Amino acid sequence: MVGFPPGGAEHLPVVVMLHGSNGDARTPFDLYGVQYHLAAAVQSGVPPFAMAAIDDWADVTGDPSPVITESLVPFLHDQGLSTGRIGLLGWSIGGRGVLSLASALGPDRVAVVAATSPAISHDDAVAFSRSVARVPVSVTCGRDDALSIPAKTLLDRLRLAKTAEVTGGIYAGCHDAVFRRRMLPAQIAFLGRHLV
């Protein structure tokens, strides 16, 4: 599923979105309303970009499947989108997925990553703080979310590295759609700024 900003355009950069468990390609659009946040952001001056999601993005181990880079990204390129360097946005296990994908692809292929309530452990936080340090990263998590401790560890370690812009934080809220929707305006602005 692909969403475009009002007016559309050819050769737009694209953000690949990875849903959480029990979600699908429609979740970012139907539950979080990413298309409305994107339209509002573009109207306020954020550079336009497209947003794409697929079902079942994870392989049997829970890591991002090759279908993302071998099928989805080429499909998006064939649709006229700019896919040389993509953005990534994910929620919960999809948040872990975008960090893992950014780690695997590196800054030559990933322009920016935003992870909301990423389902990571302390060990993941330590590993990702090294592997994605050269990619601009936004990490947000609710204060009442059990994942807030490793999310804060990741944020703190990325900020100490000082190798790329890091934004986000631990805010009032929990592991739910209300929190995720509230984070989208700042995340979309961050993504757009780094996709140009």
Side-chain angles (χ1 to χ4, degrees), residues 1-3 17 25-27 29-30 51-55 72 75-76:
M1 185 163 201
V2 183
M17 301 179 291
R26 297 197 60 86
T27 300
F29 298 95
D30 294 349
M51 304 183 85
I54 58 170
D55 295 326
L72 177 62
F75 167 79
L76 296 171

Side-chain angles (χ1 to χ4, degrees), residues 63-156:
D63 287 326
S65 166
V67 73
I68 297 169
T69 55
E70 294 175 6
S71 297
L72 177 62
V73 172
F75 167 79
L76 296 171
H77 175 73
D78 291 346
Q79 302 307 303
L81 296 172
S82 176
T83 58
R85 292 180 77 223
I86 61 172
L88 298 170
L89 172 60
W91 300 271
S92 190
I93 195 64
R96 184 189 188 286
V98 295
L99 292 166
S100 180
L101 192 57
S103 177
L105 298 178
D108 290 340
R109 295 282 316 278
V110 176
V112 59
V113 60
T116 307
S117 308
I120 58 173
S121 66
H122 174 79
D123 289 346
D124 289 332
V126 171
F128 287 137
S129 71
R130 290 189 296 263
S131 61
V132 301
R134 295 186 305 128
V135 176
V137 175
S138 169
V139 177
T140 56
C141 196
R143 192 174 299 121
D144 296 325
D145 188 328
L147 299 169
S148 64
I149 294 171
K152 184 176 185 318
T153 298
L154 176 58
L155 276 167
D156 290 346

